[in-house]
Amino acid sequence: MALIDIHNLTKVYGAEGAETAALRGVSFAIEAGEFVAVMGPSGSGKSTLLHILGLLDRQTSGTYRFDGQSSETYTTDALAQIRNRRIGFVFQAFNLLPRTTVFENVGLPLRYSDVAPAEWDGRVREAIERVGLTHRSHHTPAQLSGGEQQRAAIARALVVNPAVIFADEPTGNLDTVSGQNVMAIIDELRKERGHTIVLITHDPKTALHAQRILHFRDGVLERDERTPARV
């Protein structure tokens, strides 16, 4: 059974007579442990798709099954619980609290999870170690480079051990070397930890880290291609 399974998904914005279709009958499935990139020009529907897959928005029509259950059956509270416990988000803008240390930023999702408080410190230390930021645990975001801030954001996404990580242009604000370092961490999460990764990117080189690339244009999935074999 696929972790993510969407069929004939549409998303329409605007009032009747002035409607804009952001997604037009999209269908695909993603298995647990897959690394999938989503590419397309501005206005292709990438961000809309990410918001629906991340349970931040609902489709207009069609079906979305997350781990076998239709998204339409979830209550608002259930959606919040799934986002907090089973989904990790990494965004281009980092979204770290500016006056809060790396350790505290990474630990924030645990407050809304079902992880016992006695386990919080250990979870945070492990997540920070996995992204190579142990020596920066007690620094604030202003004391970090852009690449370090994104690694802290990845650690924050990892701390609840989510079923899937959605990464929206995670290298978009980084220089080339920092971007490569961030992608190396994401690669490791899939290869060694078995995380499912869905990556939104405009960069063909970044997309090649994935096992599959979904090409979107004007709200339509034009092509679903396999990348060269990866271990």
Side-chain angles (χ1 to χ4, degrees), residues 6 13 28 58 93 117 144 159 206 231:
I6 67 174
Y13 295 103
F28 63 82
R58 293 185 186 269
L144 306 179
V159 75
T206 298
V231 177

Side-chain angles (χ1 to χ4, degrees), residues 44-189:
S44 62
K46 303 189 305 295
S47 295
T48 298
L49 177 68
L50 181 70
H51 280 81
I52 292 173
L53 296 185
L55 300 174
L56 297 169
D57 196 4
R58 293 185 186 269
Q59 67 271 26
T60 302
S61 64
T63 59
Y64 171 28
R65 292 186 176 274
F66 181 82
D67 202 15
Q69 184 168 348
S70 173
S71 63
E72 294 182 339
T73 67
Y74 292 117
T75 65
T76 300
D77 288 344
L79 288 171
Q81 288 183 353
I82 293 170
R83 287 194 300 268
N84 291 331
R85 299 174 183 178
R86 306 210 61 206
I87 294 174
F89 294 98
V90 179
F91 297 103
Q92 180 176 347
F94 316 139
N95 294 337
L96 301 173
L97 298 181
R99 296 182 178 85
T100 304
T101 66
V102 167
F103 193 94
E104 292 165 332
N105 265 290
V106 171
L108 283 173
L110 293 172
R111 298 184 182 183
Y112 309 100
S113 74
D114 55 358
V115 178
E119 299 180 27
W120 289 3
D121 279 7
R123 287 284 194 102
V124 174
R125 289 192 181 95
E126 179 185 5
I128 290 174
E129 182 179 0
R130 283 167 65 181
V131 301
L133 280 184
T134 300
H135 63 300
R136 296 290 204 181
S137 293
H138 300 293
H139 290 68
T140 62
Q143 296 171 306
L144 306 179
S145 68
E148 288 171 333
Q149 289 185 61
Q150 192 60 289
R151 283 152 61 191
I154 293 172
R156 182 183 56 195
L158 293 176
V159 75
V160 295
N161 193 28
V164 58
I165 295 173
F166 294 109
D168 188 4
E169 299 282 5
T171 63
N173 283 339
L174 305 179
D175 61 75
T176 300
V177 173
S178 296
Q180 290 172 345
N181 290 338
V182 164
M183 289 310 303
I185 292 170
I186 292 175
D187 280 338
E188 188 220 356
L189 296 178

Side-chain angles (χ1 to χ4, degrees), residues 200-219:
I200 306 293
T201 183
H202 69 279
D203 181 5
K205 290 183 179 179
T206 298
L208 285 175
H209 284 262
Q211 297 165 297
R212 291 166 62 195
I213 304 176
L214 306 179
H215 295 268
F216 277 76
R217 183 177 295 276
D218 297 329

Side-chain angles (χ1 to χ4, degrees), residues 30-41:
I30 297 174
E31 302 294 328
E34 273 198 289
F35 185 174
V36 177
V38 179
M39 290 194 68

